[in-house]
Amino acid sequence: QVQLVESGGGLVQPGGSLRLSCAASATIFSFDLMGWYRQAPGKQRELVAAITSGGSTNYADSVKGRFTISRDNAKNTIYLQMNSLKPEDTAVYYCNFRRVTGDYWGQGIQVTVSS
């Protein structure tokens, strides 16, 4: 079973930055697609950003130009750098790793953007 451990969330003022991390217990090379999702209260979970095994990235329109997904193969970790944060970015953020044999989720981490 693959374990994903998230860190880096918290409370930040509008316009601020946070970096989320998601460390996997398995080699990152075994996954085809890795990404970050978020779920705000009363809303469905949505894709925020994704990165393929080949390094291609994809972003939700609402975060393009503000968020960056990246990975560190040596640490089996993906990151989500979030800049120019807005109150509407407030949500629980989840990392997700996918491969043919399974679909794995982190436990979720709260990000709150408020003054």
Side-chain angles (χ1 to χ4, degrees):
Q1 184 71 8
V2 176
Q3 304 296 323
L4 302 179
V5 179
E6 298 156 351
S7 60
L11 173 65
V12 64
Q13 292 187 341
S17 298
L18 282 175
R19 188 178 78 156
L20 304 183
S21 300
C22 178
S25 61
T27 176
I28 206 169
F29 291 111
S30 68
F31 298 97
D32 301 309
L33 184 67
M34 297 154 284
W36 291 93
Y37 289 73
R38 67 186 181 188
Q39 188 167 18
K43 294 187 177 181
Q44 290 188 331
R45 191 174 296 189
E46 63 175 356
L47 176 67
V48 176
I51 185 166
T52 69
S53 58
S56 298
T57 57
N58 184 48
Y59 296 92
D61 288 342
S62 59
V63 307
K64 282 180 181 177
R66 300 188 298 122
F67 291 12
T68 303
I69 188 170
S70 62
R71 67 188 189 194
D72 184 330
N73 295 334
K75 295 182 178 180
N76 296 319
T77 298
I78 64 169
Y79 303 96
L80 185 67
Q81 178 67 44
M82 305 185 292
N83 299 328
S84 302
L85 282 160
K86 304 175 181 180
E88 50 263 44
D89 295 317
T90 296
V92 178
Y93 285 70
Y94 300 87
C95 61
N96 173 256
F97 281 42
R98 295 182 183 179
R99 59 188 181 190
V100 172
T101 56
D103 187 7
Y104 306 96
W105 292 89
Q107 79 280 7
I109 192 163
Q110 179 69 45
V111 171
T112 302
V113 185
S114 175
S115 55

